[in-house]
Amino acid sequence: MPEGATKPPLWVRAAVWTASRTAALPVGIKAALFVALLLHGCGLWWGMPASDAWDNDGVAPRDFLPGLAQTFTPGEFYTYPPLHLAFLAVLTLPVTIVAVLRAPTLTVAGVLHEIIEPPYMTTMAMTARVVSLVMSLGIVVALAKIAEEIAPRGKERSAAVFTAWFAALGAPFTFYSHTSNLDVPSLFWASFAALSLTRAIVRREPRRLRTFALLAACGVATKDQAYAVFLYGAPAALALWFVLDDWARKSAKTIAREAGLAAAIGAGFLALVDGAIFNPTGFRARVRFLSGSASQDFAQYAKTAAGRWLAFLDTARYFERHYPAFLAGFIALGLVVLLVQVARRNKRDLLIAPEARGLVGALIPLLLVLSFTLGFNLVARRVEERFTLPQMLFASIYGGYGVAVLWTSDWLAKVKPLAWLVRAGLVAALSTALYRCMTIDATLLAEPRYQTEAFLASHVQPGDVVEVHGLNTYLPRFPPQAKVVRVDHRPVDRRGPLPGVEEVRQPLTDIAKRNPRWVVASDCYVWRYLERPDIGFLSSGGRMLPPTQALEAADQDATIFFRQLYGGQNGYHVADDAYVHEGLFPRVFLHASLSCRTVTFERNAPP
């Protein structure tokens, strides 16, 4: 830079750096990123514009500033760590400022009344979703770079390219890249932390452990469960490094010093950001909450050896929720061939061979997969798409290498017709995963609530009362002429406010007194009352009914009301039944958010 020149802003330098790095990527990775951009961007406007979003457990559009305030208010805490909340709060600060300036008063109630209007909330929600989309592309790049680091010489490029494709074509990954849930942002940091850990070992550059620790801390400061990715995986990788690499043993003091410094950097950053320093009482309360009701009240498996073993098995079985089941063969092939090829290079003496570090690098994704399974799934005893996403993404490194092995096979290349046939088969195999991702997008575009909204807009007359139930995330948007009333027997101040919605606290079964013309109910909310195990059910073969579901199942008022409503026994009939129709793309139900069948009931005409 010329002397006296003004230094560009940080965001400009970051953009230039990112553009330069992206330009250097192989064409195959760029193509995978372009496809991922299309998959993760299609339907990004799902449920918008609105005063609230349909992202179940998402942090947008309402949790940025309240979450930060709770994190740093003595004695209080928010469910999630504050790093991503702070990032989104900064990005949406202009929106917040405009809302404050236009609020009728500067009181909390006055600002809240203004800021929950759709223009503000939509901007905040879409900002968070775009950030998730961009971070999802970053994850693809990080995983491709890990594959490049651990692949044998001459295979780096193909391993990186096919890892990018394999990672980009996970179906739940496609869904969560559309939402403001914190899973993708936390895995963004975790994937780059894994890249730094891999480079520190494979390149014998222990100083990179500092970067690893900082990035890993960012992941945990985004969503706590990211700790499990490295809890056992990182120490195991370092231990194997000492066992297998003579250089590591000779450099033990240097590595130990860097590892200790890295631990201090990671712990210090996490304590600073996570509120432990500024709000120790709130931090302790949040840790108790996370290790208690936040996890155990939703546990799906008994706290027994049988329950944990079943959770371990189900973690592997969930592969078919992410990819077509047969693609697991590529992961197995990639893992086996990679280890064999690396070991073959070290066949003279594995413990002192110069390339022994390559074996450790090849094992790092596997160690991270096992670490999250042992450190989270078996502790929280939960196995769902978002709680198996880390394993599937890191396993995609082996899947990509398995595809690369067949695509670049020397012996297949000698028989060109066979080589082209195999490559066509590989394209077809990956296309099945692409189809699954397209199904997610098609479901987003055909969300049943859109049909419900169209029905209400054309049938609800001015002054008609529309009764609704459940959290904001389950509700469609309502036409302006409707008088919308939300009924529940829980306190009004525990509900997310919605403009134009009247909050009523009353037993649901008193519907005859309220006498609304319309009732709208979402299966994503009422399933717990319509189809549930016996409330006396506790466990079977290691499985258990989560305590929260047992509590909901004991709600006699809601159970009686919804069963009568759906059974046509309380003076209402089905006027519109909105659901995703099976066609070219089948219905996908995910995270009690996507593809929620929504039924509109109308009061029966008097005899």
Side-chain angles (χ1 to χ4, degrees):
M1 179 179 295
E3 187 176 350
T6 304
K7 197 174 185 179
L10 178 61
W11 69 270
V12 173
R13 285 178 280 143
V16 172
W17 181 87
T18 302
S20 65
R21 291 303 180 101
T22 303
L25 292 173
V27 174
I29 295 181
K30 291 180 181 178
L33 290 174
F34 178 71
V35 170
L37 177 63
L38 295 179
L39 290 173
H40 300 174
C42 180
L44 195 68
W45 53 90
W46 177 57
M48 294 287 115
S51 179
D52 208 342
W54 292 341
D55 314 3
N56 201 359
D57 292 326
V59 297
R62 302 189 176 193
D63 292 353
F64 310 160
L65 295 177
L68 288 172
Q70 287 180 301
T71 298
F72 296 103
T73 299
E76 296 188 16
F77 66 90
Y78 179 64
T79 304
Y80 299 116
L83 183 61
H84 199 64
L85 301 180
F87 182 43
L88 294 177
V90 170
L91 290 178
T92 58
L93 185 58
V95 180
T96 303
I97 293 174
V98 171
V100 170
L101 293 176
R102 298 185 63 180
T105 68
L106 293 182
T107 63
V108 173
V111 174
L112 181 62
H113 175 78
E114 175 70 20
I115 204 169
I116 65 172
E117 291 295 329
Y120 307 107
M121 295 288 94
T122 298
T123 304
M124 289 184 168
M126 291 305 298
T127 299
R129 290 181 182 182
V130 169
V131 169
S132 290
L133 185 155
V134 173
M135 285 183 159
S136 74
L137 302 182
I139 291 172
V140 173
V141 172
L143 296 175
K145 288 297 183 180
I146 294 175
E148 186 177 79
E149 291 290 333
I150 66 178
R153 288 193 185 96
K155 301 287 186 180
E156 300 98 326
R157 188 183 186 90
S158 60
V161 167
F162 287 110
T163 292
W165 279 100
F166 209 100
L169 297 180
F173 183 42
T174 297
F175 173 72
Y176 286 109
S177 298
H178 283 83
T179 70
S180 66
N181 297 74
L182 294 174
D183 302 271
V184 165
S186 68
L187 286 171
F188 169 81
W189 298 111
S191 60
F192 278 97
L195 176 60
S196 293
L197 176 63
T198 303
R199 284 176 170 171
I201 293 175
V202 173
R203 298 184 181 185
R204 288 177 175 158
E205 297 175 358
R207 191 179 178 89
R208 289 182 180 270
L209 292 175
R210 303 180 190 182
T211 305
F212 155 72
L214 184 59
L215 292 171
C218 286
V220 178
T222 298
K223 191 172 187 183
D224 299 276
Q225 69 192 46
Y227 79 89
V229 174
F230 304 107
L231 179 65
Y232 304 117
L238 294 176
L240 281 176
W241 193 16
F242 277 100
V243 170
L244 297 178
D245 191 353
D246 185 55
W247 180 91
R249 292 193 294 277
K250 292 177 180 178
S251 307
K253 289 184 178 180
T254 301
I255 294 175
R257 182 179 65 251
E258 290 296 338
L261 182 58
I265 291 173
F269 177 81
L270 192 58
L272 180 67
V273 172
D274 218 8
I277 294 177
F278 300 103
N279 181 17
T281 56
F283 179 76
R284 288 195 296 270
R286 192 168 77 86
V287 171
R288 288 194 297 270
F289 168 71
L290 293 173
S291 59
S293 60
S295 57
Q296 300 307 303
D297 285 359
F298 297 89
Q300 302 162 323
Y301 302 89
K303 193 182 289 187
T304 62
R308 297 186 197 280
W309 173 243
L310 186 57
F312 183 83
L313 293 179
D314 282 354
T315 300
R317 291 168 181 155
Y318 255 66
F319 178 85
E320 63 180 353
R321 303 284 187 96
H322 294 259
Y323 296 97
F326 71 89
L327 291 185
F330 291 110
I331 293 177
L333 175 66
L335 174 60
V336 171
V337 172
L338 180 60
L339 295 180
V340 168
Q341 289 179 339
V342 173
R344 187 177 295 164
R345 291 159 57 193
N346 307 326
K347 61 184 177 181
R348 290 185 59 191
D349 190 339
L350 187 62
L351 296 183
I352 63 173
E355 299 298 336
R357 59 193 172 174
L359 182 59
V360 184
L363 287 170
I364 286 177
L366 177 61
L367 294 175
L368 301 183
V369 166
L370 293 175
S371 181
F372 191 83
T373 302
L374 297 174
F376 180 82
N377 298 110
L378 270 62
V379 173
R381 292 172 287 129
R382 298 186 67 179
V383 176
E384 299 154 43
E385 288 88 353
R386 57 183 168 144
F387 300 137
T388 50
L389 186 57
Q391 294 97 316
M392 303 308 156
L393 286 172
F394 286 113
S396 69
I397 296 170
Y398 298 123
Y401 191 68
V403 175
V405 165
L406 294 175
W407 190 277
T408 62
S409 172
D410 292 334
W411 67 269
L412 280 176
K414 296 176 182 178
V415 185
K416 288 189 177 180
L418 181 59
W420 284 111
L421 182 63
V422 169
R423 290 182 177 184
L426 293 174
V427 171
L430 292 177
S431 295
T432 61
L434 173 62
Y435 170 74
R436 293 273 293 271
C437 296
M438 292 171 64
T439 298
I440 295 288
D441 288 345
T443 306
L444 286 165
L445 296 175
E447 169 63 47
R449 279 170 281 195
Y450 292 147
Q451 177 182 324
T452 299
E453 291 168 357
F455 176 84
L456 294 175
S458 60
H459 288 76
V460 172
Q461 301 299 314
D464 279 358
V465 175
V466 180
E467 180 171 306
V468 298
H469 306 273
L471 304 177
N472 296 358
T473 190
Y474 302 125
L475 302 178
R477 296 161 295 181
F478 300 100
Q481 72 270 23
K483 179 183 179 182
V484 183
V485 177
R486 176 158 48 186
V487 183
D488 206 323
H489 46 68
R490 282 167 285 197
V492 170
D493 59 5
R494 294 178 59 186
R495 311 176 197 176
L498 284 172
V501 175
E502 178 184 347
E503 303 288 353
V504 173
R505 187 178 185 185
Q506 191 180 93
L508 274 61
T509 48
D510 287 350
I511 189 171
K513 297 178 181 178
R514 299 187 298 271
N515 198 34
R517 181 181 175 186
W518 308 96
V519 179
V520 176
S522 168
D523 275 13
C524 284
Y525 175 67
V526 304
W527 66 268
R528 64 204 78 201
Y529 306 114
L530 297 181
E531 299 177 10
R532 58 174 175 79
D534 238 11
I535 60 174
F537 170 84
L538 291 178
S539 64
S540 175
R543 300 185 190 276
M544 62 175 284
L545 183 67
T548 52
Q549 290 185 24
L551 184 64
E552 291 163 343
D555 186 340
Q556 292 299 312
D557 175 58
T559 299
I560 292 172
F561 170 72
F562 286 115
R563 290 191 172 187
Q564 288 181 343
L565 182 66
Y566 278 75
Q569 302 170 12
N570 56 2
Y572 286 80
H573 65 275
V574 175
D576 182 66
D577 189 351
Y579 60 93
V580 174
H581 299 270
E582 300 288 338
L584 176 61
F585 298 103
R587 172 183 185 265
V588 180
F589 176 79
L590 213 157
H591 199 168
S593 299
L594 186 61
S595 187
C596 297
R597 176 191 176 216
T598 307
V599 182
T600 302
F601 299 89
E602 185 179 14
R603 185 178 62 232
N604 293 337

